[in-house]
């Protein structure tokens, strides 16, 4: 028994922000951004759009791809919640007309899609659900300091979703094995200090005005993160390949989290995966955190580059620190563009 992908969908907000647009307010250039990140443009929410709205659009497309209007559970991975409370997933389930099914959020930043796939697979394996809608959705640009040239150019908003069903481990679309890991000793390498219980407790009675403005935005230490990302994703990828009994040569596509094109390429080099088997779309969407991997899968499947029967390695790394990988053989499912 296994969790099998039977549908996929993705959605991007309509507002396109180019490197040139950012250069009007940041002390940087298009060439500087593109050389260091591989990004030329990204999508950003506006006009009241939020994580919920992105999730609903991507979820609807995944349900259409799967040819179903019902699921037994909804799981949503995000780091950019609409509100601190309640979770986003129940509202998404309601707006999609899925009734009173169990629905909950999980957060593991850029590793959220891998953690969510494993969690959703667990719901199926335990008998809680026969079919799960799992969505990775982010409006993370709302949490990035627009005046910080080290982080503002990197992130984009979007959502990707899959429908998973109970199936056989040897059929196309079956997920697994999984490899997941974390290292909380390095949690401060990528963090938003303010907004949670720690900051509120420390500043009790002082009010939010006493919190340094920069603490409400993402802080990132790029160099150590780069090293950790390459090391952890490569190690995790080797682990799932070994457990599956596949070699690197068996892989048709390496689909890695789109954090930075140099990280993706460095991981591929560590694994000795040729560049023509490395999927990339960061140039058009930026780093969309938990939405990154499903949006990339949707892109290459819609383009025809990813075809039924192709063997795929998925891997991601993010804040926490956290990381994860899995493998699958791509199924024959209909795929629409992301808009």
């Amino acid at each position: 028994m296994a969790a099998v992908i039977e549908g996929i969908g993705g959605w991007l907000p309509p507002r396109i922000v180019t490197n040139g647009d950012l250069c009007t307010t940041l002390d940087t250039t298009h060439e500087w951004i593109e050389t260091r990140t591989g990004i030329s443009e990204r999508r950003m929410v506006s006009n009241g759009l939020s994580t919920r709205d992105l999730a609903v659009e991507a979820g609807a497309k995944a349900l259409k791809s799967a040819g179903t209007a019902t699921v037994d559970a909804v799981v949503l991975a995000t780091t950019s919640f609409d509100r601190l409370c309640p979770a986003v997933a129940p509202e998404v389930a309601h707006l999609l007309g899925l009734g009173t099914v169990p629905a909950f959020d999980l957060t593991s930043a850029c590793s959220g899609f891998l953690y969510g796939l494993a969690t959703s697979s667990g719901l199926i394996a335990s008998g809680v659900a026969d079919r799960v809608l799992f969505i990775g959705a982010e409006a993370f640009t709302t949490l990035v300091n627009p005046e910080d040239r080290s982080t503002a150019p990197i992130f984009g908003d979007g959502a990707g979703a899959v429908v998973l069903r109970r199936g056989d481990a040897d059929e196309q679309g079956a997920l697994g094995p999984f490899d997941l890991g974390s290292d909380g000793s390095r949690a401060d390498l990528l963090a938003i200090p303010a907004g949670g219980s720690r900051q509120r407790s420390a500043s009790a009675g002082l009010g939010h005005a006493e919190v340094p403005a920069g603490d409400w935005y993402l802080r990132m230490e790029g160099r150590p993160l780069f090293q950790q990302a390459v090391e952890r994703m490569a190690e995790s990828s080797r682990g799932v390949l070994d457990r599956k009994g596949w070699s690197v040569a068996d892989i048709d596509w390496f689909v890695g989290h789109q954090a930075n094109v140099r990280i993706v390429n460095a991981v591929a080099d560590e694994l000795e995966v040729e560049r023509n088997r490395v999927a990339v779309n960061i140039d058009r969407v930026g780093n969309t955190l938990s939405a990154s991997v499903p949006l990339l899968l949707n892109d290459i499947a819609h383009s025809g580059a990813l075809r039924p029967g192709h063997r795929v390695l998925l891997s991601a790394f993010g804040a926490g620190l956290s990381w994860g990988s899995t493998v699958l053989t791509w199924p024959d499912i209909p795929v629409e563009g992301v808009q």
Side-chain angles (χ1 to χ4, degrees):
M1 183 182 64
V4 177
I5 293 180
E6 69 168 349
I8 189 168
W11 198 76
L12 297 170
R15 181 188 174 204
I16 298 174
V17 178
T18 67
N19 290 348
D21 295 330
L22 294 179
C23 292
T24 62
T25 57
L26 290 173
D27 181 18
T28 188
T29 65
H30 166 78
E31 292 74 21
W32 190 91
I33 297 170
E34 189 174 47
T35 300
R36 286 159 178 77
T37 67
I39 302 168
S40 296
E41 64 182 41
R42 73 285 295 146
R43 301 293 185 97
M44 291 186 179
V45 293
S46 60
N47 299 322
L49 284 176
S50 69
T51 295
R52 178 200 66 182
D53 305 308
L54 306 181
V56 168
E57 294 286 352
K61 287 195 171 188
L63 291 168
K64 180 181 179 181
S65 171
T68 184
T70 61
V71 295
D72 303 307
V74 175
V75 181
L76 175 66
T78 188
T79 317
S80 44
F81 305 96
D82 280 20
R83 298 169 287 191
L84 287 177
C85 178
V88 185
E91 194 172 3
V92 171
H94 165 70
L95 292 171
L96 286 171
L98 299 174
T100 58
V101 298
F104 62 92
D105 296 352
L106 63 83
T107 180
S108 193
C110 299
S111 299
F113 192 72
L114 271 297
Y115 269 75
L117 285 179
T119 300
S120 300
S121 298
L123 293 176
I124 290 173
S126 66
V128 171
D130 288 328
R131 181 174 280 115
V132 177
L133 172 61
F134 169 51
I135 308 169
E138 302 284 359
F140 195 75
T141 62
T142 60
L143 303 178
V144 176
N145 188 341
E147 298 178 356
D148 180 4
R149 78 168 192 164
S150 67
T151 57
I154 296 174
F155 297 94
D157 301 326
V162 292
V163 175
L164 305 177
R165 62 165 174 82
R166 183 183 301 273
D168 297 324
D170 59 354
E171 66 178 294
Q172 290 186 354
L175 295 166
F178 286 91
D179 178 88
L180 303 174
S182 71
D183 182 1
S185 70
R186 292 180 166 92
D188 289 339
L189 292 182
L190 193 64
I192 300 173
S197 63
R198 182 183 302 182
Q199 169 262 315
R200 290 171 181 240
S201 174
S203 61
L206 299 178
H208 289 176
E210 301 297 328
V211 179
D215 285 3
W216 295 102
Y217 296 117
L218 179 72
R219 291 181 179 175
M220 180 178 72
E221 296 187 34
R223 288 188 178 181
L225 279 171
F226 186 103
Q227 180 181 357
Q228 284 291 308
V230 174
E231 177 183 332
R232 299 301 190 179
M233 288 174 69
E235 180 183 28
S236 180
S237 296
R238 292 189 188 100
V240 294
L241 290 174
D242 287 345
R243 290 168 58 195
K244 183 68 174 180
W246 291 356
S247 69
V248 170
D250 293 325
I251 300 301
D252 295 292
W253 285 104
F254 170 55
V255 176
H257 165 58
Q258 304 289 284
N260 180 309
V261 73
R262 293 188 299 151
I263 291 175
V264 174
N265 288 336
V267 175
D269 291 344
E270 281 288 315
L271 296 172
E272 298 183 349
V273 179
E274 295 90 347
R275 293 293 168 82
N276 62 356
R277 294 189 287 149
V278 179
V280 174
N281 70 350
I282 192 172
D283 55 315
R284 294 178 290 106
V285 300
N287 179 350
T288 57
L289 289 87
S290 66
S292 171
V293 170
L295 280 171
L296 182 52
L297 281 172
N298 197 96
D299 271 0
I300 59 174
H302 182 252
S303 74
L306 173 60
R307 300 188 297 275
H310 276 177
R311 291 181 172 184
V312 185
L313 167 64
L314 309 179
S315 189
F317 173 90
L321 299 176
S322 60
W323 56 87
S325 302
T326 193
V327 292
L328 76 151
T329 301
W330 190 249
D332 187 5
I333 56 176
V335 182
E336 293 185 358
V338 296
Q339 174 242 39

